[in-house]
Amino acid sequence: MEKNLSNILHYDGELYLLSAAFATHLDGFGTAPTNLYVGMDNRKIIEIEDTLAKVATQEPKVSSYKRQALSTSKDFTLIPDERRLRAEVRFEAGHDMDLVSKYFIATTASGSRGGKLLVSVAMKHERTLFTNDVLTLEITIGLKDDRDN
């Protein structure tokens, strides 16, 4: 069986993948979920086999923490020339929070039941959020040829 063959992702294919998960108002590309949710956690290592059930055990355990909803129809901006989507999310600490070192996008607002872990990112610096701290994350989703600089 042949594996790892070079391929071409055509422009319409790229728009299809971006539009199937996000409501970009492009016709003929599927229906997006209403929201996706950004959370933070303190896993030691991000692994491809990670699940939302594993991540949920590593989220901050204070009552003021909650995953932040991003509306797929309002919060993401499609930037076609750059082949990406962009959004910002803010975490405001109502109480001191546990150390966090990763953030992730999931399909559920809390826990893991019925949800999927879509992507995880290691923060450049782990961080403890104290009462009234604000952490703003820029989420960029796109497809890139690994030969692009």
Side-chain angles (χ1 to χ4, degrees), residues 37-43 46 50 52 55 58-60 65 67-68 70 87-89 91 99-106 117-126 135-141:
Y37 300 89
V38 178
M40 299 184 296
D41 69 90
N42 195 29
R43 284 170 284 164
I46 296 173
D50 284 349
L52 194 51
V55 171
Q58 299 294 315
E59 289 181 272
Y65 167 80
R67 294 179 194 159
Q68 300 299 302
L70 288 175
E88 281 189 6
V89 63
F91 286 91
L99 181 72
V100 291
S101 59
K102 316 286 184 288
Y103 64 94
F104 61 90
I105 298 176
L117 177 64
L118 302 180
V119 63
S120 297
V121 177
M123 296 177 181
K124 287 186 179 183
H125 305 283
E126 56 187 32
L135 175 63
T136 302
L137 302 172
E138 180 179 298
I139 310 293
T140 301
I141 299 173

Side-chain angles (χ1 to χ4, degrees), residues 76 79 82-87 103 105 138-142:
F76 286 91
I79 306 168
E82 297 178 22
R83 303 181 320 216
R84 66 184 180 100
L85 294 162
R86 184 185 173 286
Y103 64 94
I105 298 176
E138 180 179 298
I139 310 293
T140 301
I141 299 173

